[in-house]
Amino acid sequence: MSSGRRGRISDDEINELISKLQALLPESSRRRNASRSSASKLLKETCAYIKSLHQEVDDLSERLSGLMSTMDNDSPQAEIIRSLLR
Amino acid sequence: MRGPNTKAFQQGFLKNMILSLQACSEFCISSSASGGAAMMSLQQRKYAIKSSADIAMATARGRGARWPQAVLASSSSPSRRLSKPSSSPGKKKNTRVCKKIVRRCLHTWRRSRGGTGGASSLARTRTAMICSREIARRLVRKRTKVLRKMIPGGELLDEISLLHEAVDYVAHLHAQVDVLRRISNAVQRG
């Protein structure tokens, strides 16, 4: 992907990007945005969503950190790998 | 492009994640067994997990987007923090300013016209429309700035590339959350 995009960008490409982004955002914001998807609203939703995902990673890391303190070296690890790659 | 729904990405991510978690727990166990350095604190381990999750995600994504390089670059520097944009106080201020602008525009127009007449109402609407378009433009600019801070490497991108990156990054963050959740559940069960 080129780092700088100068020159004409087609409306179709922009619309495609916007709809892709909206498809990723949670369901509730999509319903509200159905009729008037203003650019600033979309940006706001995206920022809020990324922030909440970062927070979720943070919480999960904390949870995993607590769980790992009680883990011993052998069997749980093999079980984890097996169950995840199933 | 390795999207997050492809098996290759998920397995790559999982593998990287598990390897780093194993290394992390082995370090904890060996250091506590030898009685040498104190065991990692909860916060230290959490930070290690989070870093390895980000590195695993960036490594598995590979080329085809900008944010993986930015993530890897920032993770190699000691002071690594996911920047939290202080968007809320800024946005509240912005809304207040916008409302002030609209009110001022309407008020000025009304005053200059003596505040009567049907013809002036059309002109008033037009003024309000122009003001709101300008406000919308300013809002978009402000929020784009916020988005740049949230996406690794976003500061250097133009707006279209930023949107592409946002789509890619959000999709992969989804996958990261998903994998972390699965690992946590598996560890809890095991």
Side-chain angles (χ1 to χ4, degrees), chain B residues 2-25:
Chain B
R2 282 200 271 179
N5 298 318
T6 63
K7 210 126 211 271
F9 172 79
Q10 286 185 324
Q11 287 184 334
F13 184 10
L14 209 49
K15 191 177 91 176
N16 296 341
M17 194 65 212
I18 290 170
L19 286 171
S20 21
L21 284 177
Q22 276 181 315
C24 188
S25 74

CSV table of all heavy atoms in Angstrom, one decimal, chain B residues 2-25:
chain,number,residue,atom,x,y,z
B,2,ARG,N,-3.0,-10.5,4.5
B,2,ARG,CA,-3.5,-11.5,5.5
B,2,ARG,C,-4.5,-10.9,6.4
B,2,ARG,O,-4.2,-10.2,7.4
B,2,ARG,CB,-2.3,-12.0,6.3
B,2,ARG,CG,-1.4,-13.0,5.6
B,2,ARG,CD,-0.6,-13.8,6.5
B,2,ARG,NE,0.7,-13.1,6.7
B,2,ARG,CZ,1.6,-13.6,7.6
B,2,ARG,NH1,1.4,-14.7,8.2
B,2,ARG,NH2,2.7,-13.0,7.7
B,3,GLY,N,-5.8,-11.1,6.1
B,3,GLY,CA,-6.8,-10.6,6.9
B,3,GLY,C,-6.9,-11.3,8.2
B,3,GLY,O,-6.4,-12.5,8.3
B,4,PRO,N,-7.6,-10.8,9.2
B,4,PRO,CA,-7.7,-11.5,10.5
B,4,PRO,C,-8.5,-12.7,10.5
B,4,PRO,O,-8.5,-13.5,11.3
B,4,PRO,CB,-8.3,-10.4,11.4
B,4,PRO,CG,-9.1,-9.5,10.5
B,4,PRO,CD,-8.3,-9.5,9.2
B,5,ASN,N,-9.4,-12.8,9.4
B,5,ASN,CA,-10.2,-14.0,9.4
B,5,ASN,C,-9.5,-15.2,8.7
B,5,ASN,O,-10.0,-16.3,8.6
B,5,ASN,CB,-11.5,-13.7,8.6
B,5,ASN,CG,-12.3,-12.6,9.3
B,5,ASN,OD1,-12.4,-12.7,10.6
B,5,ASN,ND2,-12.8,-11.7,8.6
B,6,THR,N,-8.3,-15.0,8.2
B,6,THR,CA,-7.6,-16.1,7.5
B,6,THR,C,-6.9,-16.9,8.6
B,6,THR,O,-6.5,-16.4,9.6
B,6,THR,CB,-6.5,-15.6,6.6
B,6,THR,OG1,-5.6,-14.9,7.3
B,6,THR,CG2,-7.2,-14.7,5.5
B,7,LYS,N,-6.9,-18.2,8.3
B,7,LYS,CA,-6.4,-19.2,9.3
B,7,LYS,C,-4.9,-18.8,9.6
B,7,LYS,O,-4.4,-18.9,10.7
B,7,LYS,CB,-6.5,-20.6,8.7
B,7,LYS,CG,-6.6,-21.6,9.7
B,7,LYS,CD,-7.8,-22.6,9.5
B,7,LYS,CE,-8.3,-23.1,10.9
B,7,LYS,NZ,-7.6,-24.3,11.3
B,8,ALA,N,-4.2,-18.4,8.5
B,8,ALA,CA,-2.8,-18.2,8.6
B,8,ALA,C,-2.5,-17.1,9.7
B,8,ALA,O,-1.6,-17.3,10.5
B,8,ALA,CB,-2.2,-17.7,7.3
B,9,PHE,N,-3.3,-16.0,9.7
B,9,PHE,CA,-3.1,-15.0,10.6
B,9,PHE,C,-3.4,-15.5,12.0
B,9,PHE,O,-2.6,-15.3,13.0
B,9,PHE,CB,-3.9,-13.7,10.4
B,9,PHE,CG,-3.9,-12.7,11.4
B,9,PHE,CD1,-2.8,-11.9,11.6
B,9,PHE,CD2,-4.9,-12.7,12.4
B,9,PHE,CE1,-2.8,-10.9,12.6
B,9,PHE,CE2,-4.8,-11.7,13.4
B,9,PHE,CZ,-3.8,-10.9,13.5
B,10,GLN,N,-4.5,-16.1,12.2
B,10,GLN,CA,-4.9,-16.6,13.5
B,10,GLN,C,-3.9,-17.5,14.1
B,10,GLN,O,-3.6,-17.4,15.3
B,10,GLN,CB,-6.3,-17.2,13.5
B,10,GLN,CG,-7.4,-16.2,13.3
B,10,GLN,CD,-8.8,-16.7,13.4
B,10,GLN,OE1,-9.0,-17.9,12.9
B,10,GLN,NE2,-9.7,-16.0,13.9
B,11,GLN,N,-3.4,-18.5,13.3
B,11,GLN,CA,-2.5,-19.4,13.8
B,11,GLN,C,-1.1,-18.8,14.1
B,11,GLN,O,-0.5,-19.1,15.1
B,11,GLN,CB,-2.3,-20.6,12.8
B,11,GLN,CG,-3.6,-21.5,12.8
B,11,GLN,CD,-3.4,-22.7,12.0
B,11,GLN,OE1,-2.6,-22.7,11.0
B,11,GLN,NE2,-4.1,-23.8,12.3
B,12,GLY,N,-0.7,-17.9,13.2
B,12,GLY,CA,0.5,-17.2,13.5
B,12,GLY,C,0.5,-16.4,14.8
B,12,GLY,O,1.4,-16.4,15.6
B,13,PHE,N,-0.6,-15.7,15.0
B,13,PHE,CA,-0.8,-14.9,16.2
B,13,PHE,C,-0.8,-15.8,17.4
B,13,PHE,O,-0.1,-15.5,18.4
B,13,PHE,CB,-2.1,-14.1,16.0
B,13,PHE,CG,-2.4,-13.2,17.2
B,13,PHE,CD1,-1.5,-12.9,18.1
B,13,PHE,CD2,-3.7,-12.6,17.3
B,13,PHE,CE1,-1.8,-12.0,19.2
B,13,PHE,CE2,-4.0,-11.7,18.3
B,13,PHE,CZ,-3.0,-11.4,19.2
B,14,LEU,N,-1.6,-16.9,17.3
B,14,LEU,CA,-1.7,-17.8,18.4
B,14,LEU,C,-0.3,-18.3,18.8
B,14,LEU,O,0.1,-18.4,20.0
B,14,LEU,CB,-2.6,-18.9,18.0
B,14,LEU,CG,-3.4,-19.6,19.1
B,14,LEU,CD1,-4.1,-18.5,20.0
B,14,LEU,CD2,-4.5,-20.5,18.5
B,15,LYS,N,0.4,-18.8,17.8
B,15,LYS,CA,1.7,-19.4,18.0
B,15,LYS,C,2.6,-18.4,18.7
B,15,LYS,O,3.3,-18.7,19.7
B,15,LYS,CB,2.3,-19.8,16.7
B,15,LYS,CG,3.6,-20.7,16.8
B,15,LYS,CD,4.1,-21.2,15.5
B,15,LYS,CE,5.1,-20.2,15.0
B,15,LYS,NZ,5.7,-20.6,13.7
B,16,ASN,N,2.7,-17.1,18.1
B,16,ASN,CA,3.6,-16.1,18.8
B,16,ASN,C,3.2,-15.9,20.2
B,16,ASN,O,4.0,-15.7,21.1
B,16,ASN,CB,3.5,-14.8,18.0
B,16,ASN,CG,4.0,-14.9,16.6
B,16,ASN,OD1,4.7,-15.9,16.3
B,16,ASN,ND2,3.6,-14.0,15.7
B,17,MET,N,1.9,-15.8,20.4
B,17,MET,CA,1.4,-15.5,21.7
B,17,MET,C,1.7,-16.6,22.7
B,17,MET,O,2.2,-16.3,23.8
B,17,MET,CB,-0.2,-15.4,21.6
B,17,MET,CG,-0.8,-14.7,22.8
B,17,MET,SD,-0.3,-13.0,23.0
B,17,MET,CE,-0.4,-12.9,24.7
B,18,ILE,N,1.5,-17.8,22.3
B,18,ILE,CA,1.8,-18.9,23.2
B,18,ILE,C,3.3,-19.0,23.5
B,18,ILE,O,3.7,-19.2,24.7
B,18,ILE,CB,1.3,-20.3,22.6
B,18,ILE,CG1,-0.2,-20.3,22.6
B,18,ILE,CG2,1.8,-21.5,23.4
B,18,ILE,CD1,-0.8,-21.4,21.9
B,19,LEU,N,4.1,-18.8,22.5
B,19,LEU,CA,5.6,-18.8,22.7
B,19,LEU,C,6.0,-17.8,23.8
B,19,LEU,O,6.7,-18.1,24.7
B,19,LEU,CB,6.3,-18.6,21.4
B,19,LEU,CG,6.3,-19.8,20.4
B,19,LEU,CD1,6.9,-19.4,19.1
B,19,LEU,CD2,7.1,-21.0,21.0
B,20,SER,N,5.5,-16.6,23.6
B,20,SER,CA,5.9,-15.6,24.5
B,20,SER,C,5.3,-15.8,25.9
B,20,SER,O,6.0,-15.5,26.9
B,20,SER,CB,5.5,-14.1,24.1
B,20,SER,OG,4.5,-14.2,23.1
B,21,LEU,N,4.1,-16.4,26.0
B,21,LEU,CA,3.5,-16.7,27.3
B,21,LEU,C,4.3,-17.8,28.0
B,21,LEU,O,4.6,-17.7,29.2
B,21,LEU,CB,2.1,-17.2,27.2
B,21,LEU,CG,1.1,-16.0,26.9
B,21,LEU,CD1,-0.3,-16.6,26.7
B,21,LEU,CD2,1.0,-15.1,28.1
B,22,GLN,N,4.8,-18.8,27.2
B,22,GLN,CA,5.6,-19.8,27.8
B,22,GLN,C,6.9,-19.3,28.3
B,22,GLN,O,7.3,-19.6,29.4
B,22,GLN,CB,5.9,-20.9,26.7
B,22,GLN,CG,4.8,-21.9,26.5
B,22,GLN,CD,5.2,-22.9,25.5
B,22,GLN,OE1,5.7,-22.6,24.4
B,22,GLN,NE2,5.0,-24.2,25.8
B,23,ALA,N,7.5,-18.4,27.5
B,23,ALA,CA,8.8,-17.8,27.9
B,23,ALA,C,8.5,-17.0,29.2
B,23,ALA,O,9.3,-17.1,30.1
B,23,ALA,CB,9.3,-16.9,26.8
B,24,CYS,N,7.4,-16.3,29.3
B,24,CYS,CA,7.1,-15.5,30.4
B,24,CYS,C,6.9,-16.4,31.7
B,24,CYS,O,7.5,-16.1,32.7
B,24,CYS,CB,5.8,-14.7,30.1
B,24,CYS,SG,5.4,-13.6,31.4
B,25,SER,N,6.2,-17.5,31.6
B,25,SER,CA,5.9,-18.3,32.7
B,25,SER,C,7.2,-19.0,33.1
B,25,SER,O,7.5,-19.2,34.3
B,25,SER,CB,4.8,-19.2,32.5
B,25,SER,OG,5.2,-20.3,31.6
